[in-house]
Amino acid sequence: MHEAQQVVTLVSKGSLKATDDFNVGEAKRPARILSVGSDYIRSHQFANLRGSGGMSGLISTTSLWETDKILALSTHTRHRHVPSPISPNFAAPPAVLSFSFGSLALAAAVARTATTWDDAPADLLDGLQRSALIELETLVEGGSTFELKSHFRFLADTHRSQFAAKVGAGMTDLYMNVLGYTWRANAACLSSTLDPHADFIYDGGNVASHGVVLAEAHGSFATGTSRQSVKRQAKRKYARQVKPYIGTASPFGKVIHGYSVAFGSSPGTPGGFLSLSETKITRPRGTRGPPAPVSDGARPDGTPTSIVLAAHRSNFLLMGAIDIVDWIDRIRLGDGVAPESEPVEFIRLQYAGRSYLACVPWLWRADLPPWWVEDLFEHPGWWRHVRGPRRLTSVAGGPRFGWFVIEEKAGAEFLNALTGIIRSGGRAIPSTLQLPTFQPVGLGLPDGDGAAASREGEYRYALFRDGLALLGDPFRGRLRDVVIWSPNEGLSLR
């Protein structure tokens, strides 16, 4: 049995009881879906979904490309730093010379970076990530090589630059995950002024227990973009926005290493360029760094709570769990009025051999009468009511949805840790949390066929090291249970 399915150890009260399985992806079985949706709505109030504009973990993926893309590292530059190394036992992971990724992985990475902004309002971040996903499916061609669609030429210069920056940030997040880094936060904490600084801070992987690393992201879709121009940007950004902060203390740990990742593509020309600049580690001859840590599983000393909260603020926002975001903000800021202690309901979904926690879609709202929900699911066009950037019918004859979810063990252990902090009134915030990590799916080293394993049989999805996943065909999954998280009592099965 997969460890993620051992949910009996994850609940703080109640007992695990068997439920009937049904495949919501099967055709011509709307009544079975209806029985879950309407019965559950009759007996529960969805306090975690607010009003008609409630956030949702559902997005449209109808126009995203199907084929995994392969991207090779164009240039790699190491920059000397004194002193070196900052942390004597740190060994940077070797540069990855080529990696592949599916459309869902890039879409999720763009959304992850757009929402990794610690102090920004949740509704603002939700809007930013949705606009980014609209652009991604509208402006990027299919195929195994990165290429911009012809639509790109109609954008104004400012809009082109903004889109390039979003894709550059997403590519950086993908590359940092391929390198083995897990937890992310915004790097704005490094400077209280307008001085330029890197975009993100990462923990996990090789840097675990040593400190954190910086990552500056850059994207360029200018006409004539070339290998050399992207290399120059990576080097310039490193010198200006990474190097000055090496050795600097941050709320997440000491910065001991840095990266500048630049991605570029010339409109109308297939192909993209990825350039990496990073800190050079100088060691006396005959001295070797420690072996690379195991990348799958919880690290024994735990991860700094501060960066876990920053990463999961973004993750649960993408899932549509705004109440969880409010509690995270309450713990991080330590002031203001405490959120309401209403329970938050999650669907427990089995997908591709793992169990995930997902927020109830926004259309299952507390103020909707049961008959409305019944009519909705029986209506052949019910999918049109799903809030998403695109509502087009695919060539195969139906819309596609992406659903942001979190791997069950990762989500359950974090939520129970959150309950422990809330019970203490915020007075007993642990310095570290021991949480599981996972091998990525949908991105990584190409296999013999050049695929990133973004498909497993019928399943199409992307899973990141921290447990966040974007399911490409969520209705192929099996609904298992409803899981209730209480701020004061933790998780239990309804």
Side-chain angles (χ1 to χ4, degrees):
M1 178 181 291
H2 194 284
E3 63 177 359
Q5 296 177 5
Q6 298 173 351
V7 296
V8 68
T9 63
L10 307 181
V11 298
S12 61
K13 69 174 186 177
S15 59
L16 183 65
K17 54 183 182 178
T19 58
D20 293 334
D21 296 339
F22 60 95
N23 189 339
V24 297
E26 295 180 8
K28 300 181 180 179
R29 296 186 67 181
R32 202 70 185 272
I33 302 175
L34 170 61
S35 66
V36 172
S38 59
D39 290 349
Y40 189 72
I41 288 172
R42 290 190 183 100
S43 57
H44 298 287
Q45 294 294 304
F46 292 95
N48 58 317
L49 303 177
R50 300 176 177 177
S52 60
M55 296 179 186
S56 170
L58 285 174
I59 63 170
S60 168
T61 60
T62 297
S63 298
L64 290 177
W65 64 89
E66 293 284 338
T67 307
D68 289 348
K69 297 186 184 298
I70 301 175
L71 186 62
L73 186 64
S74 304
T75 65
H76 181 202
T77 306
R78 293 183 175 91
H79 299 253
R80 294 179 59 87
H81 190 87
V82 179
S84 178
I86 302 297
S87 178
N89 295 320
F90 170 70
V96 175
L97 302 183
S98 176
F99 74 101
S100 55
F101 58 92
S103 59
L104 290 172
L106 182 57
V110 169
R112 282 159 54 93
T113 51
T115 53
T116 303
W117 193 351
D118 301 348
D119 299 323
D123 55 350
L124 170 64
L125 298 181
D126 182 61
L128 290 176
Q129 64 95 4
R130 288 183 183 280
S131 66
L133 294 174
I134 295 172
E135 295 169 335
L136 192 65
E137 65 174 359
T138 304
L139 298 173
V140 178
E141 288 281 10
S144 61
T145 301
F146 187 92
E147 182 180 1
L148 295 168
K149 289 184 178 181
S150 59
H151 307 336
F152 185 79
R153 63 190 174 91
F154 294 101
L155 299 183
D157 290 345
T158 301
H159 198 172
R160 292 186 181 194
S161 298
Q162 292 173 346
F163 177 61
K166 295 172 185 177
V167 175
M171 288 292 190
T172 299
D173 189 53
L174 292 180
Y175 195 76
M176 297 300 283
N177 267 265
V178 172
L179 288 178
Y181 298 111
T182 303
W183 306 99
R184 69 195 186 281
N186 196 287
C189 59
L190 294 176
S191 177
S192 59
T193 66
L194 296 179
D195 293 339
H197 54 75
D199 293 305
F200 305 106
I201 289 174
Y202 282 87
D203 193 0
N206 283 38
V207 80
S209 305
H210 297 289
V212 295
V213 300
L214 274 183
E216 165 63 15
H218 177 74
S220 175
F221 292 151
T223 301
T225 294
S226 65
R227 178 177 180 272
Q228 287 302 315
S229 67
V230 174
K231 178 182 179 179
R232 287 193 296 270
Q233 286 292 349
K235 294 174 65 176
R236 182 177 68 85
K237 292 283 188 177
Y238 180 91
R240 187 182 184 198
Q241 296 174 233
V242 177
K243 182 178 176 62
Y245 298 97
I246 303 298
T248 300
S250 81
F252 311 106
K254 187 176 182 178
V255 178
I256 66 168
H257 198 73
Y259 299 89
S260 174
V261 182
F263 173 74
S265 182
S266 180
T269 303
F273 305 97
L274 183 71
S275 187
L276 175 68
S277 284
E278 69 170 303
T279 310
K280 182 178 181 180
I281 298 177
T282 305
R283 299 183 187 277
R285 289 187 177 181
T287 302
R288 293 183 179 180
V294 177
S295 59
D296 198 10
R299 69 198 223 192
D301 61 334
T303 304
T305 302
S306 56
I307 199 165
V308 170
L309 292 175
H312 276 325
R313 183 184 195 264
S314 165
N315 292 344
F316 280 90
L317 187 151
L318 291 173
M319 291 171 58
I322 188 62
D323 279 349
I324 306 299
V325 175
D326 287 345
W327 277 111
I328 291 174
D329 287 345
R330 166 69 173 174
I331 292 169
R332 290 175 57 251
L333 302 176
D335 56 9
V337 179
E340 296 180 3
S341 297
E342 295 291 334
V344 180
E345 288 110 346
F346 294 93
I347 293 172
R348 185 166 164 259
L349 178 74
Q350 184 176 348
Y351 188 93
R354 289 186 184 270
S355 292
Y356 295 91
L357 299 181
C359 282
V360 180
W362 73 272
L363 52 82
W364 292 2
R365 287 175 40 210
D367 57 348
L368 296 180
W371 61 263
W372 189 91
V373 180
E374 293 177 5
D375 287 349
L376 173 65
F377 279 104
E378 290 175 351
H379 193 281
W382 71 268
W383 59 268
R384 296 180 182 275
H385 298 277
V386 175
R387 180 181 177 189
R390 295 288 292 271
R391 298 183 176 87
L392 300 179
T393 301
S394 67
V395 176
R400 293 190 183 133
F401 303 119
W403 201 350
F404 279 108
V405 298
I406 192 164
E407 198 278 340
E408 182 182 34
K409 185 175 176 63
E413 293 194 8
F414 172 72
L415 289 172
N416 279 333
L418 202 63
T419 292
I421 298 173
I422 293 170
R423 282 175 177 168
S424 73
R427 295 183 296 272
I429 302 178
S431 59
T432 62
L433 295 175
Q434 292 191 4
L435 299 174
T437 59
F438 308 88
Q439 288 290 351
V441 175
L443 65 150
L445 302 179
D447 61 18
D449 297 323
S454 58
R455 286 185 177 273
E456 291 188 7
E458 298 178 338
Y459 301 100
R460 175 172 169 265
Y461 68 111
L463 171 66
F464 290 80
R465 293 185 182 274
D466 57 9
L468 182 73
L470 178 57
L471 310 184
D473 303 300
F475 293 159
R476 290 188 183 276
R478 291 177 178 268
L479 299 183
R480 293 295 189 183
D481 302 284
V482 174
V483 180
I484 309 298
W485 178 75
S486 167
N488 296 309
E489 299 179 29
L491 279 176
S492 63
L493 294 182
R494 176 65 69 182

